[in-house]
Structure formats: structure tokens, C-alpha cells
Amino acid sequence: MKASVDNFLYNRAGFKAYRCSKSTNHSIVIDLVGPPGIGKTYLIKSLIKNSILTSRRLKVGKEKKECASRARLLSIAANELDDIDILQRKAIKILYDLNMHEFPATVLVDEGLSHQFTNELCLLSELYPDDFRAIMNNRAVINLTASPEMINERIKRRSKTKGQTLSYHKNMTCDELSLFNIEVMGRRAMLIRRMKESGFPGLTIDVDKGLDEIISDINNFILDLQ
């Protein structure tokens, strides 16, 4: 367990940040996104094992900062949400996402801003494209996709072997779970399209293919960002 914890750093936003092994002094944030159960954690462990990511610890600054574009993003989220607790957590995530750009390195973030604010970022790109470009500057997204059947199988396997079932997966039939994941992946595909239309890098990975090919594709993508 300790070895696993040493491979990433937790900050108060709940992000897991990993420094890329071959990163330069550029400050680039790569958001890893994908539906729950698709295997983001497994992929990150594989990237560490293959020396694509490093276990070097990074310190996250905790000073408060202001950003009009992120305030706009949060206001869009507020219009979409009725739950003040969820909105508060989103506000904290925006605050700490600012600090990710303090690292003089390329950093891969699990469940970062693009993961938490997919819908809002898509709306922002339509309504306020300048704010969208301000937030996505020096940011890239790796989007994981798979067949709904494959995701369902992973969720069932995790529930059986680890006794873990996420709250939004409970009491769902296979058909309901498939529809849920199709919707989630559709929103992420839209974000990738909006990024590419604005000239920002995005990579979509089908995790149904072999792990070696996936790792090679991600490694090449990261190198191209340098």
C-alpha cells in the first residue's frame, strides 16, 4: 500500500498528479478522462511501470488565486446544479487546478478539471470561447473509451473481487449501465472535438486494444507535447 501511495500525490482537490518522466521545463497539464470502471487507475500503474510516469513527488501550492475564466466556468456549473455541497467541491477543484500550472513540468492528472467539468467546458466553448481557450491553454486531454460491454464486465469484476460498487452504479441493470456509459463517453468525445477545433491537443484511446499499443500511443502523445 505504501508503495502505491508513494507513486502519486493527493492534494485537497482530490486529484492524483503524476509527473511525466521525460518532461521538460514546460508547464503542461494532461487530464486523463474516462467513465468509471474503464481502467484509469490500472493504466496509470502500467504507465509508471513502463517509466512513462515517474513517482517523483510534487508539492501543490495552496495560496488562493483568482481567474475570471474559471469563475465563469463555475457560474455555468452553478446554473446546472441544485446541490450546494457539490458546487462547493467543484469550486475547490477549480482553485487547486490553478496550482497544477505551477509545476515546471508535464503533469498527468487523474480526474482533473476536464473530468469534473466536461459538460460545463463544452458549454463554455460555445458561449465564451475566449474563456475556454484561457482555461485549456497549456492543457491536453487523454480520453479513454471502450465498448459498454467491456466496461460493464470490469465493473462486475471489481464488485465481485473487491466488493466495491460506486454509488451511481448500484441498482443499475446492464442496459442502464450501458446507456450511462455511452452518454458519459459521448460528452467526453464532444470535449475532444471542441479542443481540437480550438487548436488544443487531445487523444482518444480505445482501451479494447492491447495494453502495449495503448502505452506506446500515450508515450508518443506526451513526447509530441514537449
Side-chain angles (χ1 to χ4, degrees), residues 132-192:
F132 178 76
R133 285 190 287 269
I135 289 175
M136 303 312 285
N137 187 39
N138 292 325
R139 187 186 298 274
V141 173
I142 297 175
N143 176 36
L144 302 185
T145 67
S147 66
E149 294 78 16
M150 185 260 213
I151 299 174
N152 287 358
E153 188 58 37
R154 287 194 175 192
I155 291 171
K156 289 179 184 176
R157 192 184 312 131
R158 180 168 61 184
S159 177
K160 184 177 180 179
T161 59
K162 297 184 179 181
Q164 295 177 349
T165 303
L166 297 174
S167 58
Y168 37 76
H169 289 160
K170 289 181 179 179
N171 303 318
M172 276 190 179
T173 66
C174 286
D175 288 342
E176 290 171 337
L177 195 53
S178 293
L179 288 173
F180 170 80
N181 287 317
I182 289 170
E183 181 183 352
V184 170
M185 288 188 287
R187 293 197 299 266
R188 303 277 160 69
M190 174 64 74
L191 177 59
I192 291 289

Side-chain angles (χ1 to χ4, degrees), residues 3-224:
S4 298
V5 172
D6 284 341
N7 281 331
F8 56 78
L9 96 103
Y10 283 102
N11 62 39
R12 292 184 184 180
F15 298 151
K16 302 171 189 175
Y18 308 79
R19 181 169 182 153
C20 297
S21 299
K22 298 179 181 178
S23 68
T24 62
N25 289 329
H26 299 296
S27 178
I28 301 172
V29 175
I30 305 171
D31 284 337
L32 180 66
V33 304
I38 200 168
K40 294 190 295 295
T41 300
Y42 175 76
L43 176 58
I44 286 173
K45 288 179 180 179
S46 298
L47 291 171
I48 292 172
K49 184 178 180 180
N50 284 271
S51 301
I52 308 300
L53 302 178
T54 180
S55 59
R56 178 177 176 180
R57 283 185 170 274
L58 300 170
K59 292 183 179 180
V60 179
K62 296 180 175 61
E63 66 274 17
K64 292 184 178 180
K65 296 182 177 181
E66 294 180 355
C67 176
S69 297
R70 282 167 171 76
R72 180 96 68 179
L73 182 66
L74 192 61
S75 70
I76 289 176
N79 287 326
E80 300 290 317
L81 291 170
D82 295 324
D83 192 322
I84 190 66
D85 290 333
I86 293 177
L87 184 62
Q88 185 178 28
R89 289 197 294 272
K90 281 180 175 282
I92 293 171
K93 289 177 184 298
I94 282 183
L95 173 62
Y96 280 88
D97 178 78
L98 281 167
N99 296 317
M100 292 294 178
H101 291 278
E102 292 180 355
F103 302 146
T106 302
V107 178
L108 185 141
V109 184
D110 182 13
E111 299 193 356
L113 201 73
S114 298
H115 183 91
Q116 302 289 342
F117 288 86
T118 302
N119 295 346
E120 292 87 353
L121 284 168
C122 288
L123 277 173
L124 194 71
S125 69
E126 289 182 10
L127 302 173
Y128 307 100
D130 289 343
D131 288 313
F132 178 76
R133 285 190 287 269
I135 289 175
M136 303 312 285
N137 187 39
N138 292 325
R139 187 186 298 274
V141 173
I142 297 175
N143 176 36
L144 302 185
T145 67
S147 66
E149 294 78 16
M150 185 260 213
I151 299 174
N152 287 358
E153 188 58 37
R154 287 194 175 192
I155 291 171
K156 289 179 184 176
R157 192 184 312 131
R158 180 168 61 184
S159 177
K160 184 177 180 179
T161 59
K162 297 184 179 181
Q164 295 177 349
T165 303
L166 297 174
S167 58
Y168 37 76
H169 289 160
K170 289 181 179 179
N171 303 318
M172 276 190 179
T173 66
C174 286
D175 288 342
E176 290 171 337
L177 195 53
S178 293
L179 288 173
F180 170 80
N181 287 317
I182 289 170
E183 181 183 352
V184 170
M185 288 188 287
R187 293 197 299 266
R188 303 277 160 69
M190 174 64 74
L191 177 59
I192 291 289
R193 287 197 294 273
R194 296 288 166 78
M195 287 189 64
K196 290 185 175 180
E197 288 168 1
S198 299
F200 297 117
L203 175 68
T204 296
I205 292 283
D206 186 343
V207 300
D208 283 327
K209 62 184 181 181
L211 181 60
D212 290 342
E213 186 178 354
I214 292 171
I215 290 173
S216 177
D217 288 347
I218 291 177
N219 185 46
N220 291 334
F221 178 72
I222 292 173
L223 291 176
D224 287 342

